[in-house]
Amino acid sequence: MFRKIKNRYNNSIQTKLMVAFLLTTVIIMFMNMFMYVNTNRMLASLDEVYAENINLNTISDTLDSVDAALTGYLNTRSFAYMEDYYRYAQDYTNLTNELYGDISSNKLLLMERDIKNMSENYITLTNYAVDGKRGGNIEKYKVRYEEAGKLYTYLKYTISELNNERFRRNAEIYQLQSANLRALELMNIISIFIIGIMNVFMIIILTNSITKPLIRLADAAGVVSEGNLNIDMVPIEAEDEIGVVTKAFNQMLENIRLYIERLRENMETERQHKEKELLMESHLKDAQLKYLQAQINPHFLFNTLNAGAQLAMMEGADRTYTYVQRVADFFRYNIKKDQDEVTLREEIALVDTYVYILNVRFAGDIHYSKEIDESLLDVKIPGMTLQPIVENSVNYGIRNIDWEGEIKLKVYKQDDTVCISIKDNGVGIPEDKLKKIISGEFHADEGLSDSNGVGLDNVINRLKIYLGEDDVIDIISEGENKGTETIIYVQNSIS
């Protein structure tokens, strides 16, 4: 098992790509390092070629500064010129101390030794001249100044000669180094070209080993996608990821052939079952409508009639008659036959009656308003759709609030859809409970004494069955004590 995993890892496309790219990267890095080191070495040599000439120019310029400061001081006896003299003299001494000072047979080194010795004598003479000027010894500083002037002239000449000699020698070295640098540049270009060609060939070989079996597999998949399963199995060329995919494709092709064979054997039986299922679905849909509309809790009837009896004892017969008549209308609507489908006008009339009964029972605590588009009242909906929603708003929204309860019923048209909105200003519905209600996972307590037993889940199920759609209702609650709005969407059947 371990050997199999190891071989698969060694033959994987990832390993091939990593080896190829790593090898290419190592070669390129090696060439770059080689070119970098040699180029820097050449440039450093070129920088050193004229370093001696630059140093001699600096010595010559500093010598001029010493002479100018000395002349200025001797002519004016200015303290500023004296300070400049001592500073330049010290700089000149430091520069000449770096010159070669030993005996040598080399002409250029002998010239450096002469410049160094003469420079020491020159600084000594100029110091004597300055001391003579400061002491007022005119004869002394004039003699020293004249001697220093002669030595200055000879120093300038010698420095210039040495500078020219070194420049001629350095020019030859510079030409040689430039030729070497150009040769290195040409070698770098040739090396990059060779590496580029090698990389191209490596990429071609690697990509061909990957794409060739992929193309063969893609061609086979294209033939299968056109419905032709009578093709040969795709050959497996390598034990890499493509080989694994090819093997899986061959197995899939074989399984599809077996599946189609079994499917053909079961088609006749499936056709018969389908006919039976369609017939059963039709009967089941009708049974669901009948069953859901039959869920009426007798406790509601008991409590309502009890409230009417109490009212008859406390008040006159006229109001009692109206109340009992409304109650009779309410229950007559609930138990009448053939109410699978009713008009929106009938449903709104039932809601009006229901709210009237509640306001009689609870001393008019519910403020009820309507905003109706009269042209939509003949739209058909399932019976007992709106009243359970209003009942839910009363029992769970405004029953125990400390402010005046309000329920607003609104019917309007939006594009080709009739929208029926029932909105209250009660306590609202928590988000988790709201999700369960919309998804059909929440079931209200139908045993409450003030409920007719037809809950929101009942209404939602009947609307989905009746309209044949899933998105038939929205329940909106913005938060605690901000009320709840239920909106029913019905495709308009009225032209």
Side-chain angles (χ1 to χ4, degrees):
M1 179 67 180
F2 175 77
R3 181 179 299 175
K4 183 178 180 181
I5 295 174
K6 183 178 180 181
N7 291 336
R8 180 178 176 183
Y9 176 78
N10 291 333
N11 295 327
S12 68
I13 296 176
Q14 180 182 8
T15 303
K16 295 177 183 178
L17 292 174
M18 288 178 61
V19 171
F21 290 134
L22 183 62
L23 181 61
T24 303
T25 303
V26 169
I27 295 175
I28 292 175
M29 287 182 61
F30 175 78
M31 288 303 303
N32 285 335
M33 290 297 298
F34 177 78
M35 290 186 290
Y36 176 78
V37 171
N38 284 278
T39 302
N40 282 347
R41 187 162 54 98
M42 291 288 185
L43 292 176
S45 299
L46 290 176
D47 291 339
E48 293 175 358
V49 168
Y50 293 106
E52 295 174 344
N53 293 103
I54 295 173
N55 186 46
L56 288 174
N57 288 334
T58 303
I59 291 175
S60 179
D61 293 340
T62 307
L63 178 61
D64 291 338
S65 299
V66 172
D67 181 71
L70 174 64
T71 302
Y73 176 70
L74 295 179
N75 290 333
T76 62
R77 204 176 183 180
S78 170
F79 182 74
Y81 278 117
M82 186 178 69
E83 284 187 339
D84 290 343
Y85 164 75
Y86 282 120
R87 185 175 71 255
Y88 290 133
Q90 183 62 47
D91 292 342
Y92 183 75
T93 300
N94 293 336
L95 290 171
T96 55
N97 284 338
E98 297 177 0
L99 296 176
Y100 189 80
D102 296 333
I103 298 175
S104 174
S105 60
N106 187 290
K107 179 182 176 180
L108 298 181
L109 294 179
L110 283 175
M111 293 179 71
E112 280 194 18
R113 181 172 178 271
D114 292 341
I115 291 172
K116 183 176 183 180
N117 292 334
M118 285 189 292
S119 296
E120 293 177 355
N121 293 332
Y122 175 75
I123 293 300
T124 301
L125 290 173
T126 55
N127 285 336
Y128 285 153
V130 171
D131 291 341
K133 181 68 174 179
R134 293 177 64 185
N137 190 339
I138 298 175
E139 187 65 24
K140 179 181 178 181
Y141 85 75
K142 283 186 175 181
V143 172
R144 301 300 184 188
Y145 178 69
E146 289 176 359
E147 293 176 355
K150 293 178 182 180
L151 195 55
Y152 166 78
T153 302
Y154 188 70
L155 272 172
K156 288 287 292 183
Y157 173 77
T158 305
I159 292 172
S160 176
E161 283 295 314
L162 178 60
N163 200 3
N164 291 336
E165 288 294 329
R166 287 200 177 278
F167 184 81
R168 283 192 289 270
R169 186 177 67 88
N170 291 336
E172 296 175 357
I173 297 174
Y174 180 81
Q175 291 177 356
L176 180 61
Q177 295 286 6
S178 297
N180 293 335
L181 187 61
R182 286 192 293 272
L184 178 63
E185 181 180 4
L186 179 61
M187 184 179 68
N188 291 340
I189 294 174
I190 295 174
S191 300
I192 292 174
F193 181 73
I194 294 174
I195 293 174
I197 293 177
M198 290 175 58
N199 286 338
V200 170
F201 277 107
M202 185 181 298
I203 291 172
I204 291 174
I205 294 172
L206 182 62
T207 54
N208 186 59
S209 67
I210 296 174
T211 57
K212 185 178 179 180
L214 277 177
I215 293 173
R216 186 180 294 110
L217 181 61
D219 292 340
V223 174
V224 172
S225 67
E226 294 175 356
N228 184 9
L229 301 179
N230 297 320
I231 61 173
D232 296 332
M233 296 294 180
V234 182
I236 300 175
E237 296 184 355
E239 293 296 329
D240 54 12
E241 289 86 346
I242 299 177
V244 173
V245 174
T246 304
K247 184 177 181 181
F249 176 82
N250 292 336
Q251 185 64 45
M252 179 192 68
L253 182 61
E254 183 64 24
N255 291 339
I256 291 175
R257 291 171 178 172
L258 293 175
Y259 173 75
I260 292 177
E261 185 64 27
R262 293 172 185 171
L263 191 61
R264 288 171 180 169
E265 295 175 355
N266 296 330
M267 282 185 64
E268 183 62 26
T269 305
E270 184 68 23
R271 183 184 63 80
Q272 296 176 357
H273 288 170
K274 190 65 177 178
E275 292 178 355
K276 293 180 180 179
E277 286 178 0
L278 290 175
L279 183 61
M280 291 177 63
E281 183 178 352
S282 176
H283 290 302
L284 178 60
K285 184 175 180 180
D286 183 66
Q288 285 177 322
L289 282 171
K290 298 293 185 181
Y291 171 75
L292 292 172
Q293 289 177 343
Q295 299 179 20
I296 305 299
N297 193 326
H299 292 289
F300 181 80
L301 175 61
F302 174 79
N303 291 332
T304 303
L305 293 177
N306 186 50
Q310 293 176 4
L311 183 64
M313 294 173 59
M314 297 171 57
E315 298 181 356
D318 291 339
R319 293 189 62 189
T320 302
Y321 171 78
T322 302
Y323 176 77
V324 174
Q325 185 65 38
R326 291 291 185 95
V327 173
D329 292 340
F330 179 81
F331 285 106
R332 184 180 300 109
Y333 184 89
N334 276 275
I335 64 176
K336 73 178 181 178
K337 297 180 179 179
D338 302 327
Q339 66 169 29
D340 292 348
E341 184 180 74
V342 298
T343 63
L344 188 55
R345 187 190 314 276
E346 293 174 297
E347 278 290 289
I348 294 175
L350 179 65
V351 171
D352 295 343
T353 301
Y354 176 70
V355 174
Y356 167 81
I357 294 172
L358 291 181
N359 276 330
V360 171
R361 292 178 57 197
F362 302 111
D365 289 341
I366 302 172
H367 180 72
Y368 172 59
S369 61
K370 295 184 294 183
E371 185 178 335
I372 308 297
D373 185 345
E374 299 289 338
S375 64
L376 305 176
L377 290 179
D378 290 328
V379 171
K380 301 290 187 179
I381 61 173
M384 289 299 294
T385 297
L386 303 185
Q387 184 273 330
I389 298 175
V390 175
E391 178 182 272
N392 191 75
S393 296
V394 172
N395 290 337
Y396 299 104
I398 64 176
R399 171 61 62 84
N400 296 315
I401 61 176
D402 297 332
W403 56 92
E404 183 182 30
E406 296 180 358
I407 293 179
K408 182 174 182 179
L409 174 61
K410 184 178 180 181
V411 179
Y412 58 97
K413 189 175 182 181
Q414 184 174 331
D415 296 331
D416 292 332
T417 303
V418 177
C419 302
I420 308 167
S421 168
I422 298 173
K423 186 175 182 180
D424 65 67
N425 65 336
V427 297
I429 301 176
E431 184 177 357
D432 55 344
K433 183 178 178 181
L434 188 62
K435 291 180 180 179
K436 291 182 179 180
I437 292 175
I438 295 177
S439 64
E441 298 177 3
F442 178 81
H443 300 283
D445 185 2
E446 298 178 359
L448 294 175
S449 60
D450 289 329
S451 172
N452 71 347
V454 183
L456 276 180
D457 54 331
N458 185 300
V459 173
I460 294 173
N461 288 332
R462 287 192 292 121
L463 282 171
K464 288 180 179 180
I465 295 173
Y466 178 80
L467 298 175
E469 298 179 4
D470 290 332
D471 298 330
V472 296
I473 191 167
D474 272 341
I475 302 176
I476 304 169
S477 183
E478 298 180 354
E480 185 177 359
N481 296 332
K482 292 187 178 181
T484 303
E485 181 179 10
T486 303
I487 305 175
I488 299 173
Y489 303 101
V490 181
Q491 292 299 321
N492 187 13
S493 59
I494 299 177
S495 58

